[in-house]
Amino acid sequence: MSKATFDPTKYNQSNNVPFAKVMENHLSRREFVKRSIGLSAMTAFAGAGLAACGSNNDPAGTAPPTTPPTTTPPTTTPPTKSSAVLGFDSIAGSKTDAVAIPAGYSAYVLAPWGTPLNSKANAWQDDGSNTATDQENAVGMHHDGMHFFPLNEAADDGLLCINHEYIDQNALHPMGPTADANGKRTVIDEVCKEINAHGISVVRIQLKDNIWQVVENDAHNRRFTGASVMDIAGPLAYSSYLETRYSPDGSQARGTLNNCGNGYTPWGTYLTCEENWPGYFVSHGTLTADQSRIGISTTDTRYGWNHLAGSDEERLDEFARFDITPTGASAANDYRNEANGHGYIVEIDPYNPNSRAIKRTALGRFRHEGCTFGKLEVGKPITFYSGHDSRFEYLYKFVSDAVWDEADANSSNRIAMGDKYMNAGTLYVAKFSEDGVGEWLPLTLNSTTTDGKTLADSFDSVAAIILNTAGAADLVGATPMDRPEWAAVDPFTGSVYLTLTNNTKRTEETNAANPRLNNSFGHIIRWDEGAAATEFSWDIFVFGAPTAADEDTNRSGLNDLNQFASPDGLAFDKRGIMWVQTDNGADEVEDYTNDQMLAIVPSSMLDADNKQQVVSADTQNQLKRFFVGPNGCEVTGFAITQDYSTVFANIQHPSNWPYSANAAQPTPAGMTIRPRAATVVIRKDDGGEVGI
Ligand code: FEO
Ligand code: CA
Ligand code: CA
Ligand code: CA
């Protein structure tokens, strides 16, 4: 995310601090082993979609979808321990305008910002002169979460879905954003270009001569932008909360913004997560409870897109909608509810280029970082985990009403599968207890609040709870966390890991799950679900820290070969390797290395009693630095081909990179280039599996 869009305000005023005392025996935590708890539209504008900022993203839904590869159900009981052994030497830190990789590997640039996806886009220009139309038909800016969807059952052909979290206006335009003497935006094409640089890219890529390449003009290539028309599903669909002049029946919303972490589903769709979206809207009226809780801006919008409201070229209120001040006689006459269409998990079927994106409101409305499903069991509900990335915010899970049917993995109607598993279920928020157990607190109307009432005393419907998810979570006594980012599930053990990136504003009170004051370096927590949907057991897997820190800070015994700070992106591959990516802002580690990606195989770290271990002075050599990004960047987004021969990772907001197609070639000293976020392709020179 970077400091550019991070909102440092503490919006959680609930003071939920279930365990307010600083834990006294910090060091004993290092040896802590989890305690078992029985684990084993219609729109108001006919022909809508023709907006100045976009016209090709509201498809009619007629072309046949492509069939993804089928999934073969396992026929034997899988082992509970990975046999993967990391086969590279941990690399040193790096601070150059280039990526760093282990010996025997190569890294090159794929699909950088501005790469044309079809012939409507002109080639990217290094003077920033590309138009809004170019941008609408080209890869967006500031790559973040990502997933690879194979095509034709091949490991050399597929679709890369890439989130674009936010923009750098100075890099996007020739001379930065144009504004008048009052700071008001004046150039429509600039604003449309900015809106179009947001969202998601779906990119067909193929491996040819050992180089992954974008297939320009492929029928699957498409963009979802900050203007794309999307359907609403789940409790908020067709509710009065979604009623706007554009969508008076509350069935649709326009655009997806600040798409940070991602997920995917067992039925082959992509999930993109709306994170720091509140700042894109402004209200000059009295904020509603949910607007105040989530942090809607009261001064101006982040990029001033609303400044062009009322201009002659504006279509369908495309700029006016970002100012959500009530102005009309009712919600159907203005955009007071426009922001209510944001803050969700959005499902995209990449295999069907004519499908619309769907906002799955049942999974809660907050600043979603990622969305990860738990270990699947036939006949059991599917669980999705998602963290709310702000200081002192919460961890959530959604448990589907429908139970998992393996045949659904191969359904050709993937959106119907989303309807089946993601529209009806129960949303829970996590409460961590200091004895290594925890409780998932349901957010339903009859949920008990900490003052002995129920949520029904504060909310009149499930839709109202969802709209103000964090406000409801305050009332039931959830645990305020140190900025929950991505979650990932170990395919062998089913343990769920979650990055807690940092919280330098935790100055007064810790809790068991967030035990360091002034948590500059972050940590990774993990848990196992219990026998009941409301139970879990947890421990802290690793604490970020600089090598030089004292024992109370460097609790995992990290050294120069694995010191890290601010874990953010997190993923497991199916071999059981966990990949940890960083978005660091702490000088103590930044002075040694740029942001990075590390690897570890947690399920193989067993003690004499076969219990999963944590990273400690004894086991820290299991955590290895695999990759370092160029100066100024964040490393985020992880994807891997099913033969493990290619890893994709994203470089977001580099300061002076990429100089050439070779990601490891430094920009020459003294040369300044227009920076471009990009995917980096990492492969072994011998074509073997990455990481082992
Ligand atoms: Fe966009 Fe929480 O990182
Ligand atoms: Ca960032
Ligand atoms: Ca981050
Ligand atoms: Ca992130």
Side-chain angles (χ1 to χ4, degrees):
M1 159 209 312
S2 94
K3 284 154 267 190
T5 61
F6 173 60
D7 184 341
T9 310
K10 180 186 179 187
Y11 292 107
N12 184 351
Q13 303 299 329
S14 70
N15 293 319
N16 278 350
V17 278
F19 307 100
K21 291 183 180 171
V22 178
M23 294 292 285
E24 288 175 2
N25 191 354
H26 288 313
L27 294 177
S28 70
R29 186 176 316 283
R30 284 210 247 141
E31 313 305 328
F32 185 75
V33 176
K34 284 175 294 179
R35 194 181 111 190
S36 166
I37 50 169
L39 292 177
S40 35
M42 286 291 289
T43 77
F45 304 95
L50 291 172
C53 289
S55 60
N56 69 353
N57 46 31
D58 186 23
T62 50
T66 309
T67 304
T70 55
T71 303
T72 309
T75 52
T76 55
T77 306
T80 55
K81 173 178 180 287
S82 170
S83 59
V85 176
L86 300 180
F88 61 93
D89 291 333
S90 191
I91 64 173
S94 171
K95 289 175 65 72
T96 68
D97 288 317
V99 309
I101 41 179
Y105 284 83
S106 297
Y108 58 90
V109 174
L110 177 72
W113 157 54
T115 302
L117 294 176
N118 60 55
S119 52
K120 293 181 196 159
N122 292 299
W124 182 79
Q125 303 296 314
D126 68 5
D127 60 0
S129 62
N130 287 96
T131 64
T133 299
D134 289 340
Q135 184 60 78
E136 190 193 356
N137 295 284
V139 173
M141 206 175 208
H142 280 19
H143 301 34
D144 206 314
M146 167 172 60
H147 193 71
F148 176 79
F149 293 88
L151 275 170
N152 306 318
E153 309 207 32
D156 60 358
D157 189 6
L159 303 171
L160 206 53
C161 292
I162 306 170
N163 284 353
H164 303 290
E165 187 181 22
Y166 68 105
I167 55 170
D168 172 353
Q169 291 172 299
N170 291 320
L172 193 64
H173 307 301
M175 305 289 288
T178 307
D180 67 15
N182 298 315
K184 299 294 182 196
R185 305 297 303 278
T186 54
V187 181
I188 283 197
D189 198 71
E190 277 184 9
V191 166
C192 288
K193 187 178 180 184
E194 294 175 13
I195 292 171
N196 292 343
H198 281 73
I200 294 91
S201 297
V202 181
V203 189
R204 176 80 176 267
I205 58 172
Q206 289 179 331
L207 185 69
K208 290 180 177 163
D209 300 326
N210 286 321
I211 303 283
W212 283 98
Q213 300 169 13
V214 171
V215 183
E216 202 174 329
N217 288 314
D218 187 87
H220 294 88
N221 291 353
R222 66 187 301 199
R223 285 297 319 283
F224 296 87
T225 72
S228 301
V229 176
M230 300 186 174
D231 291 333
I232 305 290
L236 269 296
Y238 296 96
S239 83
S240 59
Y241 294 118
L242 268 291
E243 183 180 342
T244 66
R245 199 161 102 87
Y246 179 82
S247 181
D249 67 358
S251 65
Q252 291 188 317
R254 279 182 286 182
T256 187
L257 296 167
N258 215 269
N259 303 82
C260 188
N262 76 292
Y264 58 95
T265 66
W267 50 92
T269 59
Y270 184 68
L271 301 176
T272 183
C273 311
E274 300 178 337
E275 192 194 18
N276 286 307
W277 52 271
Y280 289 77
F281 300 94
V282 65
S283 176
H284 300 293
T286 304
L287 295 189
T288 60
D290 66 281
Q291 289 170 345
S292 166
R293 180 64 181 81
I294 202 68
I296 294 290
S297 173
T298 55
T299 52
D300 201 355
T301 58
R302 176 171 299 150
Y303 301 118
W305 297 343
N306 54 314
H307 299 171
L308 290 163
S311 68
D312 290 345
E313 293 148 272
E314 181 184 31
R315 281 183 275 176
L316 309 180
D317 308 322
E318 62 188 327
F319 310 121
R321 69 190 176 99
F322 294 105
D323 185 335
I324 61 173
T325 311
T327 55
S330 73
N333 298 103
D334 62 26
Y335 290 92
R336 69 188 65 179
N337 289 333
E338 181 70 7
N340 295 354
H342 296 261
Y344 300 111
I345 302 300
V346 185
E347 185 178 22
I348 288 170
D349 180 357
Y351 292 109
N352 182 352
N354 298 297
S355 57
R356 260 206 296 257
I358 300 184
K359 301 202 176 196
R360 298 288 180 193
T361 64
L363 280 73
R365 177 173 179 259
F366 46 90
R367 296 178 194 242
H368 284 280
E369 177 71 21
C371 187
T372 308
F373 63 87
K375 195 169 186 183
L376 295 173
E377 285 185 71
V378 172
K380 298 277 181 63
I382 301 180
T383 301
F384 289 91
Y385 300 97
S386 189
H388 181 166
D389 180 12
S390 279
R391 289 166 174 159
F392 305 102
E393 292 296 350
Y394 308 129
L395 166 68
Y396 298 86
K397 75 168 181 179
F398 170 82
V399 179
S400 66
D401 283 351
V403 298
W404 176 234
D405 176 351
E406 272 185 332
D408 291 342
N410 300 320
S411 171
S412 60
N413 193 347
R414 288 169 289 275
I415 291 300
M417 295 301 101
D419 291 341
K420 176 178 176 181
Y421 292 107
M422 301 184 85
N423 285 353
T426 304
L427 190 62
Y428 296 83
V429 66
K431 177 180 177 179
F432 291 80
S433 300
E434 59 188 352
D435 51 1
V437 296
E439 190 181 353
W440 289 108
L441 307 169
L443 298 176
T444 58
L445 286 168
N446 60 8
S447 295
T448 308
T449 56
T450 52
D451 60 1
K453 298 178 180 174
T454 66
L455 287 181
D457 291 307
S458 301
F459 299 93
D460 62 7
S461 63
V462 172
I465 290 174
I466 296 283
L467 186 74
N468 189 5
T469 303
D474 291 341
L475 295 175
V476 299
T479 300
M481 309 292 283
D482 288 347
R483 299 186 52 198
E485 300 251 27
W486 296 49
V489 176
D490 190 315
F492 289 89
T493 63
S495 299
V496 192
Y497 292 70
L498 173 78
T499 48
L500 294 160
T501 198
N502 59 53
N503 185 355
T504 53
K505 290 290 183 266
R506 188 177 286 283
T507 54
E508 291 171 4
E509 289 168 326
T510 61
N511 58 54
N514 304 274
R516 289 191 300 193
L517 287 175
N518 186 28
N519 185 7
S520 302
F521 310 116
H523 53 289
I524 299 177
I525 199 166
R526 76 175 161 192
W527 65 91
D528 290 316
E529 292 289 336
T534 52
E535 292 177 343
F536 65 95
S537 61
W538 63 274
D539 64 359
I540 294 177
F541 181 64
V542 62
F543 290 91
T547 306
D550 64 24
E551 249 193 353
D552 192 46
T553 296
N554 189 4
R555 299 183 186 195
S556 300
L558 304 185
N559 59 41
D560 280 353
L561 288 177
N562 57 16
Q563 60 169 308
F564 73 91
S566 300
D568 188 339
L570 193 70
F572 270 94
D573 67 38
K574 288 179 180 166
R575 299 169 299 178
I577 301 175
M578 186 170 82
W579 302 86
V580 182
Q581 301 171 320
T582 67
D583 177 15
N584 175 31
D587 291 345
E588 295 90 334
V589 174
E590 199 168 287
D591 288 346
Y592 173 75
T593 187
N594 291 338
D595 273 317
Q596 58 185 303
M597 180 160 69
L598 306 110
I600 189 165
V601 188
S603 67
S604 69
M605 295 165 54
L606 301 177
D607 67 11
D609 297 325
N610 252 7
K611 290 216 168 77
Q612 291 193 74
Q613 292 184 283
V614 301
V615 179
S616 68
D618 295 336
T619 60
Q620 58 77 24
N621 63 347
Q622 303 286 316
L623 179 65
K624 295 185 174 188
R625 183 179 296 119
F626 176 73
F627 176 88
V628 181
N631 292 333
C633 85
E634 161 187 352
V635 179
T636 182
F638 178 88
I640 190 164
T641 53
Q642 64 269 38
D643 65 355
Y644 311 113
S645 66
T646 302
V647 159
F648 304 95
N650 282 328
I651 297 302
Q652 190 191 78
H653 60 81
S655 52
N656 198 26
W657 178 93
Y659 172 65
S660 77
N662 177 0
Q665 181 175 13
T667 306
M671 178 183 285
T672 300
I673 62 175
R674 188 172 294 267
R676 300 172 83 182
T679 301
V680 170
V681 177
I682 306 165
R683 284 169 60 83
K684 245 184 190 170
D685 295 336
D686 66 7
E689 289 190 22
V690 173
I692 63 173

